[in-house]
Amino acid sequence: MSRLERPRRLRTTSSMRALVREVSLDPSSLMLPLFVREGLDHPRPIVGLPGVVQHSLSSLESAVDEARSVGVGSVMLFGVPETRDAEGSEAWNPDGILSRAIAVARRRVGDDLVVAADLCLDEFTSHGHCGVLDEHGVVDNDRTLDSYARMSIVLADAGAHLLGTSGMMDGQVRAVREALDAAGRVDVAIIAYTAKFASSFYGPFRAAVESPLTGDRATYQQDFANVRESMREARLDVGEGADIIMVKPGLAYLDVLSAISAAVDVPTASYIVSGETAMVEAAAATGALDRDRAILEMVTAVRRAGATVVCTYWAVEVARRLARSGT
Ligand code: PBG
C-alpha cells in the first residue's frame, strides 16, 4: 500500500527528532522566582512547595550565585516583610527587605543575569490586597498607582534591572514608566503581568509570602473565563510602555499566551505558578508521573505556545539538565 505521507519517518531516531524539533529550551530564557524573608538567619521551607524556600539575605547570595552558574537568565525577587500596614509602606522603604534583597543580588551578579523584582503591594499590606483600600474596603486603583510609582523608584535605586508590575491595576504600566523616566531611570525595564487571572493556582505562593488575604482578588485580577479581555489588557500594556508581557498562570492559559504572543511585538512570558508546580510535585511523589519529564514537557509547552521567557521554580534544575544533555 502506498502512503506518501508518513509522519513517523521523522520520529525514527533521536537525532532525526532533534533535527526537526521546533522549540528548544535555553537556560538564558528561564526566570527563577526567589522569596526573601526579613529577619531569617536560615532559609525556611515553604509548605506545599517542595524544594522552594524563604531565603535569608545570606542564603539569597548562594541562590543567585547558583542561578548564575547554571546560566539562568533572570531572578524574580519577592520580599516578605516582618511588619505590614494598611498602605504597604514597607514596599517603598529603601531599607526594606525587597530593596535590600535587590541590592544583595546585584552586588553578587552585576549584569550577569537580569535582576527582576515584583512590584506589588500584596506582600506589604496588612489586608493582603495588591493595593490600598477605599472607605468601602475596595481596592482604590488610582491611589494605588501613586504607591507603585513611588515603589518603582526605590526598587530601581536598589538596582533592579526589571520590574514586574503584578497588581493588575489599570494604568499601572504607565504610572511606573512615567515615574521611572521622570527619575532618569529610562533603562529600567517593565515586565507587565498583563493577563493575570484570579486563579486558585496561587495557593502555595500565598503561604510563601505569608499572605493575610481573606476573600479574593476578583475585582482586579482577570476572570478565568475570558480571553478577549486579555487582548485588551495586552493592547493597553504595550501602549503604556511594557517591555515584556506576561501571562499567568502557565499551563491552563496556553490559549491566552498563544493569542497574545501572536498579537504583540514585544517578548512574552509565562509564569508556571506555585499551584501548578505543587501539582506536579504531589503527583510525582506518589509515583503517578515521571517528575523530570513532566517538568521539561511543561516548560517546553509554554515555549511552544509563544513564551520567550519562562518563569518557573524549576529554573535551576532545568538549566542544569539542559547543560548535561548538551542542548
Ligand atoms: C502578587 C503575585 C502573586 C503571584 C505572583 N505575584 C499572587 C497573587 O496574585 O495572589 C503568584 C505566583 C505563584 O503562585 O507562583 N504579587
Side-chain angles (χ1 to χ4, degrees):
M1 179 176 38
S2 155
R3 281 190 198 286
L4 289 179
E5 296 226 43
R6 286 185 184 270
R8 285 187 56 188
R9 248 180 241 127
L10 297 181
R11 300 177 196 141
T12 47
T13 66
S14 161
S15 51
M16 185 68 89
R17 292 190 294 274
L19 179 70
V20 298
R21 187 161 297 137
E22 297 170 38
V23 166
S24 61
L25 299 180
D26 192 321
S28 59
S29 305
L30 300 173
M31 175 181 269
L32 172 70
L34 291 171
F35 302 101
V36 189
R37 168 69 158 90
E38 190 168 22
L40 287 188
D41 291 328
H42 297 289
R44 187 196 279 167
I46 294 166
V47 177
L49 262 188
V52 183
V53 300
Q54 286 183 327
H55 282 285
S56 64
L57 282 168
S58 78
S59 72
L60 173 68
E61 298 192 347
S62 356
V64 294
D65 284 352
E66 184 183 40
R68 176 175 55 179
S69 72
V70 297
V72 162
S74 176
V75 291
M76 170 63 83
L77 302 175
F78 294 92
V80 187
E82 190 107 327
T83 57
R84 299 167 197 234
D85 59 27
E87 298 289 311
S89 59
E90 276 299 296
W92 54 84
N93 176 359
D95 295 320
I97 187 62
L98 184 53
S99 309
R100 289 171 63 200
I102 293 167
V104 163
R106 269 312 291 284
R107 216 176 307 127
R108 290 309 281 194
V109 301
D111 292 334
D112 288 352
L113 57 71
V114 175
V115 175
D118 189 51
L119 197 164
C120 195
L121 295 185
D122 66 310
E123 290 94 5
F124 303 97
T125 52
S126 44
H127 41 75
H129 278 292
C130 296
V132 292
L133 305 181
D134 67 15
E135 65 274 24
H136 309 293
V138 176
V139 173
D140 182 333
N141 192 89
D142 294 7
R143 216 154 60 73
T144 299
L145 295 186
D146 295 338
S147 300
Y148 289 170
R150 196 164 167 187
M151 186 178 180
S152 70
I153 312 290
V154 175
L155 303 188
D157 285 348
H161 295 106
L162 179 63
L163 297 177
T165 51
S166 70
M168 289 300 281
M169 295 301 127
D170 294 337
Q172 64 183 13
V173 173
R174 179 170 177 182
V176 167
R177 184 71 272 155
E178 286 182 351
L180 290 170
D181 287 1
R185 309 309 302 252
V186 294
D187 289 338
V188 175
I190 297 174
I191 178 166
Y193 289 52
T194 292
K196 179 174 179 185
F197 290 85
S199 169
S200 318
F201 294 108
Y202 306 146
F205 176 94
R206 304 241 169 116
V209 300
E210 304 169 28
S211 174
L213 182 75
T214 53
D216 59 40
R217 308 196 194 285
T219 68
Y220 43 104
Q221 296 183 344
Q222 252 200 258
D223 182 339
F224 55 70
N226 298 348
V227 62
R228 184 182 295 275
E229 188 182 351
S230 302
M231 304 313 288
R232 183 185 198 191
E233 290 281 5
R235 169 172 59 78
L236 291 170
D237 280 0
V238 171
E240 291 178 23
D243 299 287
I244 305 174
I245 294 282
M246 173 108 91
V247 175
K248 176 179 172 189
L251 219 54
Y253 297 89
L254 294 183
D255 57 328
V256 179
L257 176 62
S258 172
I260 289 185
S261 296
V264 300
D265 63 0
V266 297
T268 58
S270 169
Y271 194 145
I272 299 173
V273 299
S274 58
E276 298 176 292
T277 307
M279 285 198 304
V280 171
E281 297 289 0
T286 69
L289 51 76
D290 178 331
R291 178 179 178 280
D292 291 1
R293 291 171 64 101
I295 290 170
L296 271 191
E297 185 177 333
M298 277 172 82
V299 174
T300 304
V302 297
R303 292 268 296 164
R304 189 195 63 233
T308 301
V309 179
V310 184
C311 185
T312 168
Y313 299 96
W314 295 309
V316 167
E317 68 166 280
V318 169
R320 206 170 262 139
R321 231 178 305 147
L322 292 173
R324 265 206 308 275
S325 68
T327 40

PDB file of all heavy atoms in Angstrom, residues 78 118 120 122-123 130 166 193 196 201-202 205-206 217 221 248 271-275 313, ligand 1:
ATOM      1  N   PHE A  78      10.876  38.379  45.424  1.00  0.00           N
ATOM      2  CA  PHE A  78       9.695  38.726  46.218  1.00  0.00           C
ATOM      3  C   PHE A  78      10.150  38.955  47.651  1.00  0.00           C
ATOM      4  O   PHE A  78      10.861  38.114  48.215  1.00  0.00           O
ATOM      5  CB  PHE A  78       8.674  37.584  46.207  1.00  0.00           C
ATOM      6  CG  PHE A  78       8.063  37.322  44.859  1.00  0.00           C
ATOM      7  CD1 PHE A  78       8.627  36.395  43.986  1.00  0.00           C
ATOM      8  CD2 PHE A  78       6.919  38.001  44.456  1.00  0.00           C
ATOM      9  CE1 PHE A  78       8.066  36.152  42.735  1.00  0.00           C
ATOM     10  CE2 PHE A  78       6.351  37.764  43.206  1.00  0.00           C
ATOM     11  CZ  PHE A  78       6.925  36.842  42.344  1.00  0.00           C
ATOM     12  N   ASP A 118       9.370  41.949  42.023  1.00  0.00           N
ATOM     13  CA  ASP A 118       7.920  42.061  41.987  1.00  0.00           C
ATOM     14  C   ASP A 118       7.526  43.459  42.463  1.00  0.00           C
ATOM     15  O   ASP A 118       7.933  43.895  43.533  1.00  0.00           O
ATOM     16  CB  ASP A 118       7.307  40.999  42.909  1.00  0.00           C
ATOM     17  CG  ASP A 118       5.799  40.901  42.776  1.00  0.00           C
ATOM     18  OD1 ASP A 118       5.318  40.785  41.643  1.00  0.00           O
ATOM     19  OD2 ASP A 118       5.102  40.951  43.809  1.00  0.00           O
ATOM     20  N   CYS A 120       4.509  45.111  43.602  1.00  0.00           N
ATOM     21  CA  CYS A 120       3.113  44.961  44.024  1.00  0.00           C
ATOM     22  C   CYS A 120       3.056  45.225  45.516  1.00  0.00           C
ATOM     23  O   CYS A 120       4.076  45.161  46.203  1.00  0.00           O
ATOM     24  CB  CYS A 120       2.626  43.543  43.699  1.00  0.00           C
ATOM     25  SG  CYS A 120       0.829  43.390  43.783  1.00  0.00           S
ATOM     26  N   ASP A 122       0.902  43.513  47.659  1.00  0.00           N
ATOM     27  CA  ASP A 122       0.240  42.465  48.453  1.00  0.00           C
ATOM     28  C   ASP A 122       1.125  41.833  49.519  1.00  0.00           C
ATOM     29  O   ASP A 122       0.626  41.382  50.540  1.00  0.00           O
ATOM     30  CB  ASP A 122      -0.350  41.374  47.547  1.00  0.00           C
ATOM     31  CG  ASP A 122       0.707  40.595  46.796  1.00  0.00           C
ATOM     32  OD1 ASP A 122       1.577  41.217  46.169  1.00  0.00           O
ATOM     33  OD2 ASP A 122       0.681  39.358  46.838  1.00  0.00           O
ATOM     34  N   GLU A 123       2.441  41.820  49.286  1.00  0.00           N
ATOM     35  CA  GLU A 123       3.315  41.266  50.316  1.00  0.00           C
ATOM     36  C   GLU A 123       3.475  42.230  51.494  1.00  0.00           C
ATOM     37  O   GLU A 123       4.011  41.857  52.525  1.00  0.00           O
ATOM     38  CB  GLU A 123       4.712  40.947  49.744  1.00  0.00           C
ATOM     39  CG  GLU A 123       4.740  39.772  48.778  1.00  0.00           C
ATOM     40  CD  GLU A 123       4.609  40.193  47.322  1.00  0.00           C
ATOM     41  OE1 GLU A 123       4.592  41.410  47.032  1.00  0.00           O
ATOM     42  OE2 GLU A 123       4.509  39.328  46.467  1.00  0.00           O
ATOM     43  N   CYS A 130      -3.544  43.815  46.687  1.00  0.00           N
ATOM     44  CA  CYS A 130      -2.464  44.334  45.851  1.00  0.00           C
ATOM     45  C   CYS A 130      -2.475  45.857  45.774  1.00  0.00           C
ATOM     46  O   CYS A 130      -1.700  46.446  45.018  1.00  0.00           O
ATOM     47  CB  CYS A 130      -2.556  43.732  44.448  1.00  0.00           C
ATOM     48  SG  CYS A 130      -2.304  41.941  44.451  1.00  0.00           S
ATOM     49  N   SER A 166       2.694  43.524  38.917  1.00  0.00           N
ATOM     50  CA  SER A 166       1.832  42.348  39.022  1.00  0.00           C
ATOM     51  C   SER A 166       0.495  42.612  39.702  1.00  0.00           C
ATOM     52  O   SER A 166      -0.238  41.692  40.006  1.00  0.00           O
ATOM     53  CB  SER A 166       2.571  41.220  39.749  1.00  0.00           C
ATOM     54  OG  SER A 166       2.745  41.528  41.111  1.00  0.00           O
ATOM     55  N   TYR A 193       2.538  42.050  34.159  1.00  0.00           N
ATOM     56  CA  TYR A 193       1.640  40.907  34.326  1.00  0.00           C
ATOM     57  C   TYR A 193       0.338  41.355  33.682  1.00  0.00           C
ATOM     58  O   TYR A 193      -0.528  41.932  34.316  1.00  0.00           O
ATOM     59  CB  TYR A 193       1.416  40.584  35.794  1.00  0.00           C
ATOM     60  CG  TYR A 193       2.577  39.987  36.530  1.00  0.00           C
ATOM     61  CD1 TYR A 193       3.832  40.579  36.526  1.00  0.00           C
ATOM     62  CD2 TYR A 193       2.408  38.834  37.287  1.00  0.00           C
ATOM     63  CE1 TYR A 193       4.888  40.034  37.239  1.00  0.00           C
ATOM     64  CE2 TYR A 193       3.457  38.282  38.010  1.00  0.00           C
ATOM     65  CZ  TYR A 193       4.684  38.887  37.985  1.00  0.00           C
ATOM     66  OH  TYR A 193       5.719  38.358  38.707  1.00  0.00           O
ATOM     67  N   LYS A 196      -3.243  38.437  34.144  1.00  0.00           N
ATOM     68  CA  LYS A 196      -3.056  37.695  35.385  1.00  0.00           C
ATOM     69  C   LYS A 196      -4.442  37.360  35.913  1.00  0.00           C
ATOM     70  O   LYS A 196      -5.247  38.248  36.189  1.00  0.00           O
ATOM     71  CB  LYS A 196      -2.283  38.531  36.390  1.00  0.00           C
ATOM     72  CG  LYS A 196      -2.084  37.814  37.707  1.00  0.00           C
ATOM     73  CD  LYS A 196      -1.198  38.621  38.619  1.00  0.00           C
ATOM     74  CE  LYS A 196      -1.028  37.915  39.944  1.00  0.00           C
ATOM     75  NZ  LYS A 196      -0.256  38.744  40.882  1.00  0.00           N
ATOM     76  N   PHE A 201      -4.590  28.642  41.544  1.00  0.00           N
ATOM     77  CA  PHE A 201      -3.266  28.032  41.489  1.00  0.00           C
ATOM     78  C   PHE A 201      -2.173  28.840  42.186  1.00  0.00           C
ATOM     79  O   PHE A 201      -0.995  28.521  42.080  1.00  0.00           O
ATOM     80  CB  PHE A 201      -2.878  27.744  40.026  1.00  0.00           C
ATOM     81  CG  PHE A 201      -3.749  26.689  39.390  1.00  0.00           C
ATOM     82  CD1 PHE A 201      -4.684  27.024  38.427  1.00  0.00           C
ATOM     83  CD2 PHE A 201      -3.640  25.364  39.775  1.00  0.00           C
ATOM     84  CE1 PHE A 201      -5.491  26.063  37.839  1.00  0.00           C
ATOM     85  CE2 PHE A 201      -4.438  24.389  39.201  1.00  0.00           C
ATOM     86  CZ  PHE A 201      -5.376  24.737  38.226  1.00  0.00           C
ATOM     87  N   TYR A 202      -2.560  29.927  42.865  1.00  0.00           N
ATOM     88  CA  TYR A 202      -1.559  30.698  43.619  1.00  0.00           C
ATOM     89  C   TYR A 202      -1.468  30.259  45.078  1.00  0.00           C
ATOM     90  O   TYR A 202      -0.807  30.910  45.882  1.00  0.00           O
ATOM     91  CB  TYR A 202      -1.886  32.206  43.591  1.00  0.00           C
ATOM     92  CG  TYR A 202      -2.083  32.811  42.217  1.00  0.00           C
ATOM     93  CD1 TYR A 202      -2.993  33.839  42.016  1.00  0.00           C
ATOM     94  CD2 TYR A 202      -1.350  32.367  41.126  1.00  0.00           C
ATOM     95  CE1 TYR A 202      -3.184  34.405  40.765  1.00  0.00           C
ATOM     96  CE2 TYR A 202      -1.546  32.923  39.869  1.00  0.00           C
ATOM     97  CZ  TYR A 202      -2.465  33.935  39.697  1.00  0.00           C
ATOM     98  OH  TYR A 202      -2.653  34.498  38.457  1.00  0.00           O
ATOM     99  N   PHE A 205       1.907  29.990  46.891  1.00  0.00           N
ATOM    100  CA  PHE A 205       2.567  31.307  46.904  1.00  0.00           C
ATOM    101  C   PHE A 205       2.072  32.136  48.089  1.00  0.00           C
ATOM    102  O   PHE A 205       2.836  32.816  48.757  1.00  0.00           O
ATOM    103  CB  PHE A 205       2.265  32.055  45.605  1.00  0.00           C
ATOM    104  CG  PHE A 205       2.813  33.476  45.552  1.00  0.00           C
ATOM    105  CD1 PHE A 205       4.049  33.735  44.971  1.00  0.00           C
ATOM    106  CD2 PHE A 205       2.091  34.541  46.076  1.00  0.00           C
ATOM    107  CE1 PHE A 205       4.548  35.039  44.915  1.00  0.00           C
ATOM    108  CE2 PHE A 205       2.584  35.837  46.027  1.00  0.00           C
ATOM    109  CZ  PHE A 205       3.813  36.084  45.442  1.00  0.00           C
ATOM    110  N   ARG A 206       0.775  32.056  48.341  1.00  0.00           N
ATOM    111  CA  ARG A 206       0.219  32.850  49.451  1.00  0.00           C
ATOM    112  C   ARG A 206       0.840  32.393  50.766  1.00  0.00           C
ATOM    113  O   ARG A 206       1.061  33.200  51.662  1.00  0.00           O
ATOM    114  CB  ARG A 206      -1.299  32.723  49.460  1.00  0.00           C
ATOM    115  CG  ARG A 206      -1.904  33.151  48.108  1.00  0.00           C
ATOM    116  CD  ARG A 206      -2.852  34.311  48.183  1.00  0.00           C
ATOM    117  NE  ARG A 206      -3.155  34.799  46.833  1.00  0.00           N
ATOM    118  CZ  ARG A 206      -4.357  34.778  46.266  1.00  0.00           C
ATOM    119  NH1 ARG A 206      -5.393  34.318  46.945  1.00  0.00           N
ATOM    120  NH2 ARG A 206      -4.532  35.256  45.045  1.00  0.00           N
ATOM    121  N   ARG A 217      -9.279  38.220  44.724  1.00  0.00           N
ATOM    122  CA  ARG A 217      -8.812  39.408  44.007  1.00  0.00           C
ATOM    123  C   ARG A 217      -9.647  39.637  42.746  1.00  0.00           C
ATOM    124  O   ARG A 217      -9.167  40.191  41.762  1.00  0.00           O
ATOM    125  CB  ARG A 217      -7.345  39.235  43.615  1.00  0.00           C
ATOM    126  CG  ARG A 217      -6.396  38.850  44.743  1.00  0.00           C
ATOM    127  CD  ARG A 217      -4.961  39.099  44.310  1.00  0.00           C
ATOM    128  NE  ARG A 217      -3.957  38.484  45.152  1.00  0.00           N
ATOM    129  CZ  ARG A 217      -3.607  38.925  46.362  1.00  0.00           C
ATOM    130  NH1 ARG A 217      -4.231  39.958  46.893  1.00  0.00           N
ATOM    131  NH2 ARG A 217      -2.649  38.327  47.043  1.00  0.00           N
ATOM    132  N   GLN A 221      -7.940  41.093  39.402  1.00  0.00           N
ATOM    133  CA  GLN A 221      -7.374  40.079  38.513  1.00  0.00           C
ATOM    134  C   GLN A 221      -8.461  39.590  37.554  1.00  0.00           C
ATOM    135  O   GLN A 221      -9.652  39.720  37.816  1.00  0.00           O
ATOM    136  CB  GLN A 221      -6.808  38.918  39.332  1.00  0.00           C
ATOM    137  CG  GLN A 221      -5.630  39.372  40.202  1.00  0.00           C
ATOM    138  CD  GLN A 221      -4.988  38.250  40.990  1.00  0.00           C
ATOM    139  OE1 GLN A 221      -5.567  37.174  41.143  1.00  0.00           O
ATOM    140  NE2 GLN A 221      -3.808  38.515  41.522  1.00  0.00           N
ATOM    141  N   LYS A 248      -0.286  34.615  33.127  1.00  0.00           N
ATOM    142  CA  LYS A 248      -0.121  33.864  34.360  1.00  0.00           C
ATOM    143  C   LYS A 248      -1.472  33.416  34.886  1.00  0.00           C
ATOM    144  O   LYS A 248      -2.386  34.230  34.897  1.00  0.00           O
ATOM    145  CB  LYS A 248       0.547  34.812  35.353  1.00  0.00           C
ATOM    146  CG  LYS A 248       0.745  34.285  36.723  1.00  0.00           C
ATOM    147  CD  LYS A 248       1.421  35.352  37.534  1.00  0.00           C
ATOM    148  CE  LYS A 248       1.441  34.893  38.971  1.00  0.00           C
ATOM    149  NZ  LYS A 248       1.882  35.930  39.841  1.00  0.00           N
ATOM    150  N   TYR A 271       4.315  32.388  33.416  1.00  0.00           N
ATOM    151  CA  TYR A 271       4.709  32.079  34.792  1.00  0.00           C
ATOM    152  C   TYR A 271       4.035  30.767  35.183  1.00  0.00           C
ATOM    153  O   TYR A 271       2.817  30.711  35.316  1.00  0.00           O
ATOM    154  CB  TYR A 271       4.256  33.223  35.701  1.00  0.00           C
ATOM    155  CG  TYR A 271       4.833  33.281  37.105  1.00  0.00           C
ATOM    156  CD1 TYR A 271       5.084  34.505  37.707  1.00  0.00           C
ATOM    157  CD2 TYR A 271       5.101  32.137  37.848  1.00  0.00           C
ATOM    158  CE1 TYR A 271       5.595  34.604  39.003  1.00  0.00           C
ATOM    159  CE2 TYR A 271       5.616  32.226  39.138  1.00  0.00           C
ATOM    160  CZ  TYR A 271       5.846  33.456  39.711  1.00  0.00           C
ATOM    161  OH  TYR A 271       6.337  33.542  40.991  1.00  0.00           O
ATOM    162  N   ILE A 272       4.843  29.722  35.312  1.00  0.00           N
ATOM    163  CA  ILE A 272       4.326  28.444  35.814  1.00  0.00           C
ATOM    164  C   ILE A 272       4.250  28.599  37.331  1.00  0.00           C
ATOM    165  O   ILE A 272       5.273  28.637  38.011  1.00  0.00           O
ATOM    166  CB  ILE A 272       5.244  27.276  35.392  1.00  0.00           C
ATOM    167  CG1 ILE A 272       5.304  27.180  33.863  1.00  0.00           C
ATOM    168  CG2 ILE A 272       4.744  25.959  36.011  1.00  0.00           C
ATOM    169  CD1 ILE A 272       6.316  26.177  33.329  1.00  0.00           C
ATOM    170  N   VAL A 273       3.029  28.753  37.839  1.00  0.00           N
ATOM    171  CA  VAL A 273       2.867  29.268  39.199  1.00  0.00           C
ATOM    172  C   VAL A 273       2.974  28.162  40.254  1.00  0.00           C
ATOM    173  O   VAL A 273       3.073  26.971  39.937  1.00  0.00           O
ATOM    174  CB  VAL A 273       1.549  30.058  39.355  1.00  0.00           C
ATOM    175  CG1 VAL A 273       1.544  31.259  38.429  1.00  0.00           C
ATOM    176  CG2 VAL A 273       0.343  29.162  39.140  1.00  0.00           C
ATOM    177  N   SER A 274       2.909  28.611  41.496  1.00  0.00           N
ATOM    178  CA  SER A 274       3.151  27.719  42.631  1.00  0.00           C
ATOM    179  C   SER A 274       2.214  26.508  42.647  1.00  0.00           C
ATOM    180  O   SER A 274       2.660  25.384  42.900  1.00  0.00           O
ATOM    181  CB  SER A 274       3.023  28.512  43.926  1.00  0.00           C
ATOM    182  OG  SER A 274       1.741  29.117  44.020  1.00  0.00           O
ATOM    183  N   GLY A 275       0.930  26.721  42.374  1.00  0.00           N
ATOM    184  CA  GLY A 275      -0.018  25.606  42.443  1.00  0.00           C
ATOM    185  C   GLY A 275       0.229  24.589  41.336  1.00  0.00           C
ATOM    186  O   GLY A 275       0.062  23.375  41.534  1.00  0.00           O
ATOM    187  N   TYR A 313       9.775  27.885  39.130  1.00  0.00           N
ATOM    188  CA  TYR A 313      10.520  27.484  40.332  1.00  0.00           C
ATOM    189  C   TYR A 313      11.541  26.398  40.001  1.00  0.00           C
ATOM    190  O   TYR A 313      12.421  26.107  40.797  1.00  0.00           O
ATOM    191  CB  TYR A 313       9.533  27.000  41.413  1.00  0.00           C
ATOM    192  CG  TYR A 313       8.583  28.113  41.814  1.00  0.00           C
ATOM    193  CD1 TYR A 313       7.314  28.228  41.239  1.00  0.00           C
ATOM    194  CD2 TYR A 313       8.977  29.092  42.719  1.00  0.00           C
ATOM    195  CE1 TYR A 313       6.458  29.265  41.569  1.00  0.00           C
ATOM    196  CE2 TYR A 313       8.134  30.140  43.061  1.00  0.00           C
ATOM    197  CZ  TYR A 313       6.878  30.226  42.474  1.00  0.00           C
ATOM    198  OH  TYR A 313       6.051  31.269  42.805  1.00  0.00           O
TER     199      TYR A 313
HETATM  200  C1  PBG B   1       1.164  39.071  43.543  1.00  0.00           C
HETATM  201  C2  PBG B   1       1.655  37.784  43.000  1.00  0.00           C
HETATM  202  C3  PBG B   1       1.072  36.515  43.157  1.00  0.00           C
HETATM  203  C4  PBG B   1       1.891  35.618  42.493  1.00  0.00           C
HETATM  204  C5  PBG B   1       2.949  36.329  41.957  1.00  0.00           C
HETATM  205  N1  PBG B   1       2.773  37.677  42.249  1.00  0.00           N
HETATM  206  C6  PBG B   1      -0.072  36.055  43.948  1.00  0.00           C
HETATM  207  C7  PBG B   1      -1.406  36.619  43.822  1.00  0.00           C
HETATM  208  O1  PBG B   1      -1.757  37.326  42.886  1.00  0.00           O
HETATM  209  O2  PBG B   1      -2.157  36.333  44.746  1.00  0.00           O
HETATM  210  C8  PBG B   1       1.648  34.138  42.412  1.00  0.00           C
HETATM  211  C9  PBG B   1       2.790  33.305  41.958  1.00  0.00           C
HETATM  212  C10 PBG B   1       2.651  31.854  42.201  1.00  0.00           C
HETATM  213  O3  PBG B   1       1.585  31.353  42.593  1.00  0.00           O
HETATM  214  O4  PBG B   1       3.648  31.159  41.993  1.00  0.00           O
HETATM  215  N2  PBG B   1       2.207  39.954  43.862  1.00  0.00           N
END
